[in-house]
Amino acid sequence: MEAVAAAPAPAPAPVRLWVKTEPFLVGALPVPPPARLGPHYLRKMAAYTRARATEGCFPRLSWPRWRHIACGKLQLGRDLAWLYFELFHSLLRRDPSRRLQWAEAEAACASADELERERSKLSVDTLQFLLFLYVQQMNKVSLRTSLIGEEWPSPRTRSPSLTGKSTSKNKNWNDQDHHTFVQSHLSDMLELLLEPEQLTASSHSTRSSLVSYEAICALSFLIEGTVNKSRTVHPLHELALWQPCHGQNGYSKVSKAFSFPKLESWLWSCLTTNPFGMTACLKSGKKLAWAQQVEGTTRRAKIACNTCVVPEVFPMVIMSQVYKQTLAKSSDTLVGAHIRIHRCNESFIYLLSPLRSVTIEKCRNSTFVLGPVQASVHVHSCDNIKVIVVCHRLCLSSTAGCTFYILTPTQPLILSGNQAVSFAPFHTHYPMLEDHMAQVGLATLPNYWDRPMLVCKESGDTSVFCLLPPSDFYTFVIPFEMEGDTTETPGGLPHAYQKALSQREQKVQIWQKTVKEAGLTKDQRKQFQMLVENKFYEWLVQTGNRQQLDSLVPPAVGSKQAAG
């Protein structure tokens, strides 16, 4: 009797999944999380919120309930509790009109009690918020790292730079780290999303545990993908319900849920490198000839952007080693992009477009003038730089001697390792500035530029920062012509700073009047003019402004910065 051949196993569905950039790049605070935000306590929080579903804990978690959990159960400070809540809330609320409505409501609050009542109207998706809190573990310092100073050498955990060499790690940017983190902690994260009856007494899964469709919707916060190499990006929950995938991910139409072990195995097998991440951008991205190559130096400026851009994903621009020059761009390539500026020295960089996020790291002696930034500006390991920006959030770590001229609706975050930080009010404008602010949902009020928050108190105290004295404050002129209606600094200047400018302007007028009334002869005027010009030239050289003026002269034909 002939043996009956076994039916071939169904071919894996051609689904490609990857870990999204946004939750890690702008959602993970670049600082080790409090110990009470570890997996053990998050499992307790998951059980607590489900048990109190009728009290504003599940399926949406209100600010008052999270404040109670964070301050009462997890022993977090109130400011830190609001920081995590607002960070997650703003990460998902991208609609500019809703952002502006919230800014208006917050600015109208005349007291702390009124502000608290306004915040009490806010809520977040509970399961997604649990995942967001879990993601903060990515920047947890391991014992091994703290002992040897770096991770074990591994090609997978070293991110290439634009020069092809490995760089020190920035986990928030490194999509390989995001991928490794999710794969390593996938089981834990899935267990956070399980209903209580699917867990053991110790809050773990079993072989028979079922994962609800709502849990998969929450996991879409971290994972997305495509079908059949299509350029259309879909959230995870849509792909998981695709009929050809049911055999692999264990979806049952009867229970309307997924088998835990099968789902975990399917996710593992389908997860791949993010085609829109930093690795892809550096490996196969479009090189932009925006910067000049300065003669007499071995440094080569490198600028790249995604070649593969789809509407569902924010674009990415990475620039490195811009040296001794002025780079100025207002470009569609920048609009809504995540920007990484790395190892740029003695330069003046103007990126005058509405941006999604900006990271500035390992830069020295440079000035950065940025268009409005919808999410965050993170400055890391920089010395003696100036940053001029309207942004939703500013984070600082390991900076020295830097000055920030900012307009921001959230408290600037001072993380670890900072020295001699100065804050000053935003003090410039360009013609399209207010239009760009409206595009990203940023208003002039509230403005917390002068109320920084020390997130890592063990790294120092309030002596690490100061407010720039009004006597040292000067307005900044953006030296480019553009179309647009903005003719002055949005929101104006604080009284003390405006008064200092007015007094300085008055001194100039008195000086001009004195010169006019001095009755100098023609030869004396000529001699006096030469003296003033010589002193002015000396000042330009001493302050470094001579370099900036020289770099504003258009380059010769054939060496112009490319459009793009």
Side-chain angles (χ1 to χ4, degrees), residues 22-40:
E22 280 259 317
F24 292 89
L25 179 53
V26 296
L29 277 181
V31 62
R36 290 293 185 99
L37 282 185
H40 171 73

Side-chain angles (χ1 to χ4, degrees), residues 65-97:
R65 299 313 301 166
W66 162 243
R67 184 186 64 216
H68 172 73
I69 294 169
C71 300
K73 308 291 184 183
L74 303 178
Q75 304 299 303
L76 303 183
R78 189 178 182 128
D79 286 346
L80 193 58
W82 172 250
L83 171 59
Y84 282 117
F85 189 87
E86 197 281 331
L87 177 58
F88 176 71
H89 194 264
S90 63
L91 179 64
L92 297 184
R93 184 172 57 186
R94 298 173 184 169
D95 179 46
S97 62

Side-chain angles (χ1 to χ4, degrees), residues 105 212 333:
S212 68
T333 304

Side-chain angles (χ1 to χ4, degrees), residues 20 44-46 82 85 328 336 348 360 372 387 424 449 526 562:
K20 295 162 72 170
K44 286 191 169 188
M45 176 179 161
W82 172 250
F85 189 87
F348 299 86
I360 303 172
V387 179
W449 71 271
K526 188 174 181 181

Side-chain angles (χ1 to χ4, degrees), residues 269-549:
S269 64
C270 294
L271 276 172
T272 184
T273 305
N274 186 338
F276 308 104
M278 182 185 74
T279 302
C281 183
L282 295 176
K283 186 177 180 180
S284 55
K286 177 184 177 183
K287 302 298 185 284
L288 300 172
W290 285 1
Q292 303 166 44
Q293 304 303 336
V294 178
E295 293 182 13
T297 176
T298 56
R299 300 169 189 260
R300 290 196 60 79
K302 304 281 185 178
I303 305 176
C305 68
N306 304 74
T307 49
C308 188
V309 177
V310 294
E312 299 86 356
V313 179
F314 291 103
M316 190 174 284
V317 176
I318 302 174
M319 58 177 65
S320 182
Q321 299 193 151
V322 176
Y323 180 60
K324 281 194 171 180
Q325 62 184 280
T326 292
L327 187 158
K329 281 292 166 183
S330 181
S331 164
D332 288 344
T333 304
L334 294 171
V335 174
H338 293 296
I339 312 291
R340 186 184 189 191
I341 305 171
H342 180 253
R343 291 190 185 279
C344 294
N345 296 331
E346 299 178 53
S347 293
F348 299 86
I349 296 177
Y350 300 79
L351 302 179
L352 305 180
S353 296
L355 310 170
R356 177 61 177 166
S357 80
V358 178
T359 301
I360 303 172
E361 54 187 357
K362 296 190 176 179
C363 294
R364 308 283 182 271
N365 308 316
S366 297
T367 296
F368 302 91
V369 186
L370 307 173
V373 180
Q374 187 178 39
S376 63
V377 176
H378 179 210
V379 181
H380 174 68
S381 195
C382 292
D383 294 337
N384 192 34
I385 70 168
K386 293 179 182 176
V387 179
I388 304 170
V389 66
V390 180
C391 61
H392 181 75
R393 191 180 315 280
L394 174 69
C395 302
L396 312 178
S397 57
S398 303
T399 67
C402 300
T403 304
F404 301 91
Y405 299 85
I406 55 173
L407 192 167
T408 176
T410 62
Q411 291 180 268
L413 303 181
I414 299 180
L415 308 180
S416 60
N418 297 285
Q419 300 174 34
V421 176
S422 296
F423 294 103
F426 184 75
H427 64 331
T428 192
H429 64 274
Y430 61 91
M432 287 295 291
L433 176 56
E434 288 171 311
D435 286 344
H436 289 169
M437 287 173 64
Q439 286 180 43
V440 297
L442 288 171
T444 57
L445 291 173
N447 185 5
Y448 295 121
W449 71 271
D450 56 348
R451 290 175 52 186
M453 175 180 172
L454 285 163
V455 178
C456 299
K457 291 186 172 59
E458 71 280 359
S459 67
D461 56 13
T462 54
S463 64
V464 302
F465 74 89
C466 69
L467 302 185
L468 188 73
S471 57
D472 296 336
F473 180 78
Y474 295 83
T475 53
F476 187 91
V477 177
I478 295 176
F480 306 106
E481 292 184 355
M482 299 171 66
E483 296 292 325
D485 300 323
T486 302
T487 57
E488 59 186 10
T489 300
L493 294 171
H495 175 72
Y497 292 88
Q498 185 60 58
K499 183 179 178 182
L501 292 180
S502 299
Q503 289 175 341
R504 199 176 293 125
E505 188 176 332
Q506 192 175 16
K507 287 180 181 178
V508 171
Q509 291 172 351
I510 293 171
W511 165 254
Q512 290 172 337
K513 184 180 178 183
T514 303
V515 172
K516 187 176 181 181
E517 295 175 351
L520 300 177
T521 65
K522 186 176 181 180
D523 286 344
Q524 285 174 327
R525 284 200 303 270
K526 188 174 181 181
Q527 188 177 0
F528 182 68
Q529 185 177 348
M530 286 178 61
L531 178 65
V532 171
E533 287 178 356
N534 287 338
K535 289 293 183 182
F536 180 60
Y537 183 81
E538 288 177 16
W539 176 83
L540 285 176
V541 173
Q542 289 170 2
T543 59
N545 286 315
R546 167 68 194 274
Q547 179 205 330
Q548 181 176 197
L549 286 177

Side-chain angles (χ1 to χ4, degrees), residues 90-144:
S90 63
L91 179 64
L92 297 184
R93 184 172 57 186
R94 298 173 184 169
D95 179 46
S97 62
R98 291 182 62 196
R99 282 173 168 253
L100 291 171
Q101 286 172 8
W102 169 249
E104 184 179 357
E106 190 178 6
C109 295
S111 68
D113 288 342
E114 279 188 36
L115 180 59
E116 195 62 23
R117 282 196 294 273
E118 203 61 43
R119 289 177 174 179
S120 295
K121 299 175 184 177
L122 302 178
S123 66
V124 294
D125 182 286
T126 307
L127 294 181
Q128 287 190 1
F129 188 56
L130 282 165
L131 290 175
F132 163 81
L133 293 175
Y134 195 98
V135 161
Q136 306 305 318
Q137 298 296 312
M138 187 183 67
N139 286 311
K140 182 179 179 182
V141 176
S142 69
L143 180 61
R144 180 183 70 194

